Amino acid sequence: MKVAVYPGSFDPLTNGHVDLIRRGTRIFDRVLVAVLINTEKAPLFTVDERIAMIEAIFRRQTKVKVKAFSGLLVNFLRAERANVVVRGLRVVSDFEYEFQMALMNRKLDPEVETIFLTPKEDLSYLSSRLVKEVHQLGGDVSGLVPSIVHRALVRKLPNGTKSA
Ligand code: PNS
């Protein structure tokens, strides 16, 4: 069984992430969404909240699994007996950071391959950071995130738009 690990912060999951996970399931037998437990950043959603939302969104997709991870990504891959990392490349400015990460992961474990997928063109400007900022300032992000995420955003940041 070919497993791809799709790691990230997912704080929160956007429609861009959803699109990428779906693309991954067309190539791999399983896409394991790996949610980073990041002790440095102050996330809006806890890891458990993020995992619960992603699981709910993909509850009918048996190919998609969700787990938390901390420490080095390559160690998580080894523990999961996986050697493929999937990452999204939206725009050229993503490239430098993604390239560095891919090469560092290869240095740490030469068995690990990173595969880049591009999301649907009209989602290429989307990021979790912008979604949170726009929502907090009252902008409507309901078309940019799954409805579960939007409802959770409204609960967390009540200053945002109330539209469903
Ligand atoms: O969604 P993000 O925040 O861009 O995801 C970044 C992530 C989680 C993929 C990256 O920070 C990561 O892999 N962190 C785990 C620690 C690690 O392995 N660092 C070295 C890899 S370069």
Side-chain angles (χ1 to χ4, degrees), residues 90-105:
R90 294 164 299 187
V91 284
V92 176
S93 53
D94 281 345
F95 181 76
E96 202 171 309
Y97 172 58
E98 295 298 335
F99 190 64
Q100 277 183 322
M101 277 206 301
L103 293 187
M104 178 59 86
N105 284 330

Side-chain angles (χ1 to χ4, degrees), residues 48-147:
D48 287 346
E49 286 171 331
R50 282 177 265 163
I51 288 177
M53 286 190 277
I54 302 168
E55 279 177 345
I57 291 157
F58 290 97
R59 66 189 179 285
R60 288 196 198 92
Q61 251 293 358
T62 50
K63 283 184 160 190
V64 179
K65 300 285 173 222
V66 191
K67 280 191 182 179
F69 85 104
S70 58
L72 285 177
L73 178 62
V74 291
N75 291 344
F76 178 75
L77 267 102
R78 237 173 258 144
E80 295 296 328
R81 298 176 178 280
N83 68 341
V84 178
V85 176
V86 166
R87 289 284 290 173
L89 264 189
R90 294 164 299 187
V91 284
V92 176
S93 53
D94 281 345
F95 181 76
E96 202 171 309
Y97 172 58
E98 295 298 335
F99 190 64
Q100 277 183 322
M101 277 206 301
L103 293 187
M104 178 59 86
N105 284 330
R106 180 182 288 168
K107 172 80 184 155
L108 293 169
D109 185 344
E111 297 294 309
V112 168
E113 294 295 347
T114 302
I115 290 186
F116 296 107
L117 297 179
T118 46
K120 202 163 177 278
E121 315 73 77
D122 54 5
L123 299 171
S124 61
Y125 64 94
L126 208 50
S127 72
S128 301
R129 187 184 62 78
L130 275 185
V131 161
K132 283 183 284 194
E133 184 178 311
V134 170
H135 173 77
Q136 189 157 29
L137 296 173
D140 182 6
V141 295
S142 56
L144 306 178
V145 292
S147 51

